[in-house]
Amino acid sequence: MSEYTKAIKTLEFHKIREMLRDIAPTDGARSLAMEIEPSHEVYTVRRMLLSTSDAKRLIDEKGMPPFGDIKDIRDSIERAVKGASLNTVELIRIAEVLASARRLQEYIDSNKRFETILDEAFYLLSPNKALEDRIRKVIITADMIADDASPELSDIRRKIRNTNNKIKETLSKYTGGQYAKYLQENIVTQRDGRYVVPVKIEYKNEIKGLVHDTSASGATLFIEPMAVVESNNTLRELESAEKHEIERILAILSSECANNSQEIMANYDNITDLALYFTMGKLSVNMDGCMPTINEDGEYNLIKAKHPLLDPKKAVAINVAVGGKYDTLVVTGPNTGGKTVTLKTLGLFAIMLQCGLHVPCDPQSTACVFDKVLCDIGDEQSIEQSLSTFSAHMVNTVEIIKQAGKGSLVLFDELGAGTDPVEGAALAVSILEKIREKGALCAATTHYAELKVYALDTEGVCNASCEFDIETLRPTYRLITGTPGKSNAFAISRKLGLPEDIIDRAGSYVASDNKRFEIVIEKLEATRIEMERERDKARSLKNEYENFKRNAEKKMRARLEESEKQIEKAEAKAQAMIASARASSDFVFRELEKVKKQRDSERLAEGLEEARANIRKRLRDADDKANPVIDRANEGYKLPRKLKKGDLVRIVNIDREGIVAEEPKGDGNISVRIGQMITKTKEKNLMLVGDGAISVTTKDNKKVTTGSFAKTVSSSFKPELDLRGMNGEDAWYMVDKYLDDALLSGVKIVTLIHGKGTGKLKAALKPLLKKDRRISTFREGMYGEGDGGVTIVELK
């Protein structure tokens, strides 16, 4: 029994274990999930939490690793080592472990962009592709062995097929020949593994053979004709030989597994450990958890913490701390106001963190590692042991005082309750002082005013209260640290309609000291509310300013990057133009030199004409290099008329407007002026702007303007869309736009990558794909396409 056993039960940590078990991918991880225990070593806790963080990071980056359906193989390997022959199911499970080890190494190596603490476990995996392939080749399914598992098995099965055919051919003479009238039905059947024919009882002497069975009515005898007795005997012998050969093959595979037992078991253990950490990472994703800073200074400060067993949509985040400036926290407030939840949050978070689990709180939170978590929460009265509520609490308290010490976290719910208020309050103060003397951190809930005063007067002890809205008579569940809770009994009674004279008379019975104390608390509460309003206003203004600053800086960076890109392009083009001009001039000089040499020859005129032609060709080539014609299809759009010089056009591939600089020559190439620059492009890459320009209509009847069409249709369209890591709504938004792009690009078959994971994303997309009119059919991916991790969509 560990130091945390009672706390695990009281704080309902077993429910966290069950949440882990339900999402674990392997049998081994499910077993470990139900057995995880807190560690009290700081190094171990940090390492486990970092492992969970890295697993969560990898899930966000690549999705859940492909663990496969890994079953517990420990008993099977142990039997194989002892010389036992494993059955087909056991061997398939071993092959799956080897396959999982191989897939996991491929997973960590693919697109590796950062190191993780889990890398060591990944690289300790030892895939054995040869053994995996041998098992897969021999065993097709749990009850089917491949014919080519061995030459002997192949030969035996060939003989079995031939013998079967021979028997059926012989018996066909009985079902379709002169003996057909003696048969109850013209069929061949089997009894005790031997081929027989159903003969009418009155003709039993007409067909010579062995009787194997009689029908229930007695009207039919199942006779094995003498003509097939020998063949049936041969068939039985072959079937026996087949069975022995299969046993021999399985024994050989079992022996190979035994020879590689250490490697296989190391793979299984590593896969199980990895599966557990990725399960923890997945739980962190599900509950929006994080890893707080782990300190060794004894400070425990939770910011915006939500109890993980409450509905996250309804749970109110609280800020609660103990340690540092104060070692004891006294929490007051109305019943059902959240006091007990506060204690359970403190205790459960401590246990979860020390098991390596993330907790739902702000990452700026800090936590320390406790040697013990001791708690007395809830009504533990026992009729069998004759213990009242007070006695049951006191039994627990006595045990807690014995065990508490430096490094312990102590939680008391309604300390000192269940007895005379005066004596109960005195006991509560004395118990808190004893716990403080032992050096433990402590949080306690109470209704006693004496404990509020004790917290105000004692250094190292802090008040906290659960807020209550008098107007609605409902708790807000917010925890206010530093302020004791005010008694709201009179206010609540007045709101509920209790006569005013009764309330006034009750007020006269309250001691003057208690009245003054309540008035002080009321003033403190009013001051706190006003300060919180001002703080929230200041925080809102600060956030507004930071958002504005962040957006402005983002725009400035984007414009600067765009400017730098344009400068780089301009510089590159200038360099190309200079190089082209230099090459052209060199060529011209060479041609002139050749003409100069031919000046006195008879071929002068011919040489000049050839030089001119060469120079013109060279200049055209240089111009094409400096102003390349970009061929980019402008599908779905046709020019309403022929272009002419001066037309305003849009160049689709760069989404820029320009003016036709020259009259088109009819060769499909157009010169367009953009600012001071002239570029060449294909005519089909241009759209007419202004007079005669038309819009394009997509499959869902959306009008796309010339400007946005250029951005929509691109030759760089990819036939697959990665949706991993998105929720259903965001994924469908991306799919909707992507299908439009596919239609405009002329692509008919696309692949949606959603991953396997929990299957929620795939399930969310399926009904939407069914209803979409653009889609002809869709199906799950097959082997080699991505299996169940992708959906193949065919467009109309």
Side-chain angles (χ1 to χ4, degrees):
M1 193 179 224
S2 74
E3 301 89 338
Y4 308 94
T5 302
K6 189 174 189 306
I8 284 173
K9 179 182 177 182
T10 303
L11 299 171
E12 300 179 286
F13 181 66
H14 64 280
K15 292 184 179 179
I16 302 294
R17 285 172 170 167
E18 290 167 2
M19 290 168 68
L20 266 180
R21 178 199 63 198
D22 292 343
I23 60 174
T26 70
D27 280 356
R30 283 187 277 274
S31 297
L32 287 182
M34 295 304 293
E35 297 170 0
I36 57 171
E37 288 282 335
S39 171
H40 54 73
E41 295 180 0
V42 175
Y43 171 80
T44 303
V45 170
R46 281 179 178 156
R47 185 173 179 82
M48 290 192 299
L49 286 169
L50 286 171
S51 297
T52 302
S53 296
D54 282 347
K56 182 180 180 182
R57 190 179 175 192
L58 285 167
I59 290 172
D60 291 338
E61 181 79 13
K62 302 182 180 185
M64 197 72 172
F67 288 105
D69 188 20
I70 301 297
K71 303 295 184 184
D72 193 341
I73 61 167
R74 289 174 294 185
D75 290 343
S76 300
I77 293 296
E78 186 178 346
R79 288 177 53 243
V81 170
K82 292 177 179 178
S85 181
L86 304 182
N87 59 41
T88 54
V89 173
E90 291 174 305
L91 288 167
I92 288 173
R93 288 176 177 176
I94 290 172
E96 184 58 32
V97 169
L98 295 172
S100 180
R102 176 173 49 80
R103 291 194 301 264
L104 290 175
Q105 280 202 346
E106 292 170 356
Y107 170 87
I108 197 64
D109 288 335
S110 66
N111 302 320
K112 189 172 179 63
R113 299 199 296 177
F114 50 84
E115 302 292 326
T116 74
I117 199 171
L118 297 173
D119 286 354
E120 181 182 354
F122 275 107
Y123 293 130
L124 284 174
L125 294 170
S126 304
N128 189 332
K129 189 72 164 59
L131 178 56
E132 176 196 341
D133 288 344
R134 276 197 294 276
I135 295 174
R136 300 281 195 201
K137 181 182 178 182
V138 168
I139 305 173
I140 298 174
T141 64
D143 51 5
M144 184 182 295
I145 303 296
D147 287 355
D148 57 355
S150 74
E152 293 82 0
L153 183 63
S154 179
D155 185 56
I156 290 169
R157 286 187 171 173
R158 180 180 56 78
K159 291 178 179 178
I160 288 174
R161 285 192 295 271
N162 292 339
T163 304
N164 270 318
N165 291 336
K166 181 181 177 183
I167 293 172
K168 289 177 181 177
E169 185 179 346
T170 303
L171 291 177
S172 66
K173 298 175 182 177
Y174 288 86
T175 58
Q178 60 179 344
Y179 295 102
K181 59 185 178 182
Y182 304 138
L183 303 184
Q184 197 71 256
E185 291 182 84
N186 291 332
I187 61 169
V188 175
T189 185
Q190 281 189 324
R191 286 294 184 274
D192 298 326
R194 300 179 74 89
Y195 286 101
V196 296
V197 290
V199 180
K200 296 176 182 177
I201 188 71
E202 59 269 26
Y203 297 119
K204 63 180 180 179
N205 295 323
E206 299 299 328
I207 296 178
K208 304 301 180 183
L210 305 176
V211 177
H212 284 277
D213 197 5
T214 307
S215 66
S217 63
T220 304
L221 296 178
F222 293 95
I223 297 176
E224 177 186 2
M226 293 303 296
V228 296
V229 169
E230 187 62 32
S231 296
N232 268 331
N233 290 340
T234 302
L235 184 62
R236 294 296 290 270
E237 291 170 4
L238 288 170
E239 288 173 346
S240 178
E242 178 190 31
K243 181 180 177 183
H244 289 306
E245 179 60 18
I246 289 174
E247 289 174 352
R248 187 184 72 82
I249 293 168
L250 296 181
I252 291 172
L253 288 176
S254 300
S255 177
E256 288 191 57
C257 290
N259 294 336
N260 294 277
S261 59
Q262 291 185 341
E263 176 186 281
I264 294 170
M265 281 309 303
N267 281 329
Y268 175 77
D269 291 339
N270 279 319
I271 291 170
T272 300
D273 290 341
L274 285 169
L276 179 63
Y277 280 119
F278 275 93
T279 303
M280 291 177 171
K282 192 174 181 181
L283 183 66
S284 177
V285 173
N286 293 349
M287 65 171 54
D288 194 21
C290 72
M291 172 186 171
T293 301
I294 303 299
N295 67 80
E296 299 182 52
D297 304 323
E299 293 187 15
Y300 191 21
N301 181 18
L302 300 179
I303 302 169
K304 295 181 180 178
K306 288 186 177 182
H307 195 288
L309 298 179
L310 297 178
D311 184 346
K313 295 179 181 179
K314 297 180 181 179
V316 177
I318 61 171
N319 298 335
V320 58
V322 64
K325 294 180 180 179
Y326 50 89
D327 55 34
T328 301
L329 185 70
V330 176
V331 185
T332 53
N335 288 326
T336 70
K339 300 190 303 298
T340 303
V341 170
T342 298
L343 292 188
K344 287 189 172 184
T345 301
L346 279 168
L348 186 57
F349 272 38
I351 289 176
M352 287 178 67
L353 288 170
Q354 289 176 222
C355 287
L357 293 165
H358 285 182
V359 290
C361 65
D362 191 282
Q364 298 300 315
S365 302
T366 60
C368 54
V369 176
F370 297 103
D371 295 332
K372 296 175 183 176
V373 177
L374 306 168
C375 52
D376 176 40
I377 298 175
D379 186 357
E380 298 192 19
Q381 64 178 327
S382 170
I383 297 175
E384 291 181 0
Q385 298 180 23
S386 301
L387 294 176
S388 65
T389 299
F390 176 75
S391 299
H393 279 300
M394 195 50 59
V395 168
N396 287 337
T397 302
V398 169
E399 190 60 32
I400 288 172
I401 291 171
K402 286 180 184 177
Q403 295 185 41
K406 189 172 180 60
S408 300
L409 174 64
V410 179
L411 306 171
F412 289 119
D413 190 23
E414 300 294 353
L415 183 59
T419 187
D420 178 78
V422 176
E423 293 182 354
L427 272 173
V429 170
S430 181
I431 290 167
L432 289 181
E433 287 182 341
K434 184 64 177 178
I435 296 296
R436 295 189 68 211
E437 287 174 9
K438 291 201 160 203
L441 297 185
C442 179
T445 67
T446 185
H447 284 288
Y448 293 142
E450 290 84 349
L451 262 68
K452 302 177 191 177
V453 175
Y454 168 72
L456 286 171
D457 293 343
T458 308
E459 186 177 353
V461 182
C462 183
N463 268 306
S465 59
C466 292
E467 194 176 53
F468 190 85
D469 190 337
I470 297 297
E471 295 300 319
T472 62
L473 298 181
R474 292 179 180 274
T476 65
Y477 302 107
R478 291 178 60 214
L479 185 72
I480 312 301
T481 302
T483 304
K486 180 181 177 298
S487 172
N488 294 301
F490 289 174
I492 293 171
S493 300
R494 182 178 288 110
K495 193 79 176 177
L496 292 175
L498 191 68
E500 195 68 32
D501 60 324
I502 296 176
I503 295 172
D504 291 341
R505 188 180 303 157
S508 67
Y509 296 147
V510 178
S512 58
D513 288 345
N514 286 341
K515 282 185 180 178
R516 284 195 295 273
F517 182 66
E518 291 293 329
I519 291 170
V520 169
I521 292 176
E522 189 173 350
K523 289 180 178 178
L524 283 171
E525 182 71 5
T527 303
R528 179 190 64 78
I529 292 171
E530 183 61 29
M531 288 178 66
E532 283 192 353
R533 284 202 193 101
E534 293 298 322
R535 182 195 64 192
D536 292 343
K537 186 177 179 182
R539 185 178 294 163
S540 177
L541 291 171
K542 180 183 176 184
N543 291 339
E544 187 177 341
Y545 165 73
E546 287 179 348
N547 287 335
F548 172 78
K549 180 184 175 185
R550 187 163 48 250
N551 291 334
E553 288 176 348
K554 185 177 179 181
K555 288 179 180 178
M556 287 175 65
R557 282 195 300 271
R559 289 178 180 175
L560 182 60
E561 289 173 2
E562 182 62 26
S563 300
E564 289 175 349
K565 288 178 183 177
Q566 293 296 334
I567 290 171
E568 287 176 5
K569 287 180 182 178
E571 288 177 348
K573 189 158 189 177
Q575 291 293 334
M577 292 173 70
I578 292 169
S580 177
R582 184 180 294 114
S584 299
S585 63
D586 290 344
F587 181 76
V588 169
F589 283 127
R590 286 197 302 272
E591 292 296 315
L592 287 173
E593 188 65 27
K594 286 167 63 178
V595 171
K596 183 179 179 183
K597 290 178 181 178
Q598 295 174 353
R599 183 174 53 186
D600 299 328
S601 70
E602 295 178 357
R603 297 181 65 252
L604 177 58
E606 185 181 341
L608 282 171
E609 185 59 36
E610 184 180 347
R612 287 192 193 99
N614 289 337
I615 289 170
R616 279 196 295 270
K617 184 176 183 303
R618 187 66 180 229
L619 289 173
R620 277 198 303 272
D621 292 343
D623 184 47
D624 288 341
K625 286 182 181 178
N627 298 291
V629 176
I630 302 170
D631 185 8
R632 188 158 181 179
N634 186 8
E635 298 176 17
Y637 175 81
K638 290 184 179 180
L639 288 168
R641 59 174 173 79
K642 289 186 177 181
L643 295 175
K644 59 185 178 180
K645 184 177 179 180
D647 278 342
L648 180 62
V649 293
R650 179 176 295 279
I651 304 177
V652 171
N653 63 294
I654 60 174
D655 195 24
R656 295 284 299 276
E657 289 186 358
I659 298 172
V660 177
E662 300 174 359
E663 286 294 338
K665 298 176 181 178
D667 60 356
N669 296 332
I670 305 293
S671 295
V672 180
R673 180 185 298 280
I674 305 174
Q676 299 300 313
M677 181 182 70
I678 294 179
T679 186
K680 284 188 178 180
T681 186
K682 292 287 186 183
E683 186 177 61
K684 60 184 179 182
N685 193 35
L686 299 176
M687 302 180 75
L688 191 61
V689 178
D691 183 31
I694 63 171
S695 62
V696 178
T697 304
T698 64
K699 293 289 182 182
D700 57 351
N701 297 320
K702 293 180 181 176
K703 293 290 184 180
V704 182
T705 63
T706 55
S708 63
F709 181 79
K711 299 172 186 175
T712 306
V713 182
S714 170
S715 61
S716 62
F717 178 86
K718 294 182 179 178
E720 58 184 32
L721 178 63
D722 195 341
L723 305 169
R724 288 175 292 186
M726 301 183 187
N727 59 32
E729 185 176 349
D730 291 344
W732 180 247
Y733 174 80
M734 296 296 294
V735 171
D736 188 35
K737 181 179 182 303
Y738 178 73
L739 294 180
D740 275 349
D741 291 350
L743 288 168
L744 293 172
S745 298
V747 177
K748 292 298 183 183
I749 297 178
V750 294
T751 301
L752 306 181
I753 305 172
H754 41 65
K756 296 178 181 177
T758 61
K760 289 183 180 178
L761 180 55
K762 179 180 177 182
L765 290 175
K766 187 174 181 180
L768 298 170
L769 293 172
K770 276 186 178 178
K771 293 188 291 184
D772 198 296
R773 295 181 179 179
R774 295 166 292 185
I775 296 172
S776 175
T777 60
F778 66 94
R779 61 177 173 79
E780 182 174 293
M782 295 186 294
Y783 179 79
E785 293 179 324
D787 300 327
V790 304
T791 294
I792 310 299
V793 178
E794 184 176 347
L795 301 176
K796 293 180 179 176

